Amino acid sequence: MGFLGNTRRIFAEDSLKNSSKDLGKTRWSDCGCESCVSWMNNGGDQKLHVVVKNPSKGNQDFGKTSTENVIFLHGFMSSSYIWTETVFPELVGSKYRLFAVDILGFGSSPKPRECLYTLDDHLEMVIKSVIHEFDLKSFHLVAHSMGCIIALALAAKHPNSVKSITLVAPPYFLSSEEEDASQIALKRLAYKSVWPPLLFGSAFMTWYEHLGRCVCFVVCRNHRTWERILMLITRKRKVNFMMMDLFRHTHHSAWHTMHNVICGGAKMMDPCLEILRQVQARVTVVQGSRDKVVPLECSNNIKVKVPDAEVKIITGANHSTVILGREKQFAADLKLTWDSVTDAKG
């Protein structure tokens, strides 16, 4: 199975040896447009694309207290746009420094062709590109869907630095005697369904690898053409960021991330949650009551492992509208969580 970390281990050593020379190359099926290969111009020391929003100097607390940091991680087939285009504008004037990350293989971040996109690969790049790059001593975490897995791994790696962690629609499944969490996640998150589109795409790319590569070749490699067509149809000068995000990856990065993080990383969530329970970290879970991508039970499963976790079910919201369309309330809830942690420790 491709979702297990041990899979294709025989290629991993060669990948490490060739990573520096392969990092600057694309596969024949990948798009070579300026935006898709811009990350190659940064030299050999590659880092993720990170959007930073500093606190406003007009804020009444600016300069009076130490700056608090918040790291935002997006989900599968998405990018930092889901935060910068929605939540960030609602946090203008706050005292927090915001970091929105394009995870490895997506958005404007590097998409190395020989990388296996394991949970460790994603985790190491976030640590390198954000925590080390900006010398963060403490931070809050906010993550959506697949990003929750990376966020939990990051929090478990730095338990004393995490002030709070907000998990939006976390794909967390309890293990059973018959099946481990990875097998359950594969069946539950990528079961063969034609609706909603995100679930259909995940299932198609997971179970039909070669057909998926063909679709990715037609869609992602020629995304500029589809963007022009969409602009003509909608008569808009800019394509919606959610539509753009569907194109801003390679099949290699998407397929391996699906198997090695969403499915393979499922079995790593238990020890991560146990660490957070032991250090009594502030854990908040948010999910829409009509989420058809991640089962609603996943949020309640977090409560089983971390009894002190706060679970908020948003009535009528789905996997996307739990954020989109309620940006103001979502941002207000985030600030309330962050401020409460600060006040409690103050």
Side-chain angles (χ1 to χ4, degrees):
M1 295 290 290
F3 59 82
L4 295 178
N6 292 329
T7 314
R8 303 187 182 184
R9 186 178 296 277
I10 189 172
F11 299 111
E13 294 182 2
D14 290 337
S15 170
L16 292 174
K17 292 177 182 178
N18 298 323
S19 59
S20 60
K21 65 180 182 180
D22 287 330
L23 199 56
K25 299 179 181 178
T26 59
R27 290 172 178 263
W28 66 273
S29 59
D30 298 341
C31 179
C33 76
E34 183 177 354
S35 63
C36 289
V37 300
S38 60
W39 57 271
M40 296 181 183
N41 300 322
N42 297 329
D45 186 24
Q46 298 297 330
K47 296 183 179 68
L48 300 178
H49 175 73
V50 182
V51 178
V52 184
K53 183 69 173 179
N54 289 306
S56 171
K57 291 184 179 181
N59 184 277
Q60 60 181 359
D61 295 323
F62 184 81
K64 297 181 181 179
T65 59
S66 58
T67 301
E68 293 195 44
N69 308 294
V70 187
I71 301 174
F72 290 80
L73 299 174
H74 64 81
F76 189 61
M77 304 284 277
S78 186
S79 77
S80 56
Y81 278 141
I82 195 171
W83 307 116
T84 60
E85 295 291 314
T86 59
V87 180
F88 276 28
E90 300 298 333
L91 294 171
V92 171
S94 72
K95 63 181 179 180
Y96 298 95
R97 182 166 58 158
L98 314 175
F99 300 85
V101 182
D102 281 355
I103 67 171
L104 187 66
F106 294 84
S108 298
S109 282
K111 304 169 182 66
R113 65 175 189 169
E114 296 302 329
C115 179
L116 295 181
Y117 295 92
T118 64
L119 180 57
D120 283 342
D121 290 331
H122 287 286
L123 180 61
E124 289 171 8
M125 285 296 283
V126 173
I127 292 173
K128 173 184 177 182
S129 305
V130 184
I131 295 180
H132 290 171
E133 178 72 12
F134 296 93
D135 193 26
L136 304 189
K137 305 302 181 184
S138 64
F139 49 86
H140 300 270
L141 280 169
V142 181
H144 178 231
S145 196
M146 181 197 71
C148 296
I149 301 174
I150 302 174
L152 282 172
L154 181 61
K157 187 88 170 180
H158 299 273
N160 296 322
S161 298
V162 177
K163 289 193 166 187
S164 74
I165 179 169
T166 300
L167 306 172
V168 185
Y172 172 62
F173 297 91
L174 297 173
S175 300
S176 67
E177 295 182 359
E178 296 78 19
E179 296 178 301
D180 64 22
S182 295
Q183 293 173 316
I184 296 173
L186 180 63
K187 292 181 178 180
R188 298 295 300 277
L189 296 176
Y191 65 86
K192 300 173 183 178
S193 174
V194 296
W195 193 263
L198 183 59
L199 186 57
F200 169 73
S202 298
F204 187 85
M205 301 294 276
T206 300
W207 295 103
Y208 306 104
E209 179 183 0
H210 298 296
L211 288 175
R213 286 187 185 278
C214 294
V215 172
C216 205
F217 171 68
V218 173
V219 175
C220 295
R221 192 176 191 277
N222 301 289
H223 69 87
R224 289 173 296 174
T225 300
W226 307 123
E227 288 169 8
R228 293 190 192 101
I229 293 174
L230 284 172
M231 285 188 288
L232 286 173
I233 294 175
T234 60
R235 296 184 180 181
K236 294 182 179 180
R237 300 183 63 181
K238 186 178 179 181
V239 178
N240 181 274
F241 73 89
M242 292 187 68
M243 186 61 65
M244 288 181 60
D245 285 345
L246 293 176
F247 306 139
R248 303 203 312 156
H249 64 275
T250 66
H251 180 272
H252 185 74
S253 65
W255 192 86
H256 282 285
T257 297
M258 175 67 191
H259 284 267
N260 292 334
V261 177
I262 298 179
C263 298
K267 62 183 178 182
M268 300 302 298
M269 295 179 75
D270 276 349
C272 292
L273 286 169
E274 177 60 25
I275 291 174
L276 295 184
R277 186 192 66 79
Q278 291 177 0
V279 299
Q280 298 182 324
R282 175 67 180 270
V283 180
T284 302
V285 183
V286 183
Q287 189 170 5
S289 64
R290 295 185 178 180
D291 195 330
K292 300 299 182 182
V293 177
V294 174
L296 199 58
E297 70 188 68
C298 290
S299 290
N300 296 321
N301 289 343
I302 297 285
K303 186 78 173 178
V304 173
K305 300 301 293 186
V306 185
D308 291 335
E310 181 181 5
V311 178
K312 301 177 181 178
I313 305 301
I314 309 302
T315 303
N318 60 31
H319 195 66
S320 298
T321 59
V322 70
I323 300 172
L324 307 178
R326 55 181 305 272
E327 296 90 344
K328 187 180 292 293
Q329 185 60 54
F330 186 83
D333 290 343
L334 287 178
K335 286 197 292 185
L336 187 63
T337 297
W338 303 336
D339 291 344
S340 66
V341 173
T342 302
D343 294 339
K345 294 186 177 181

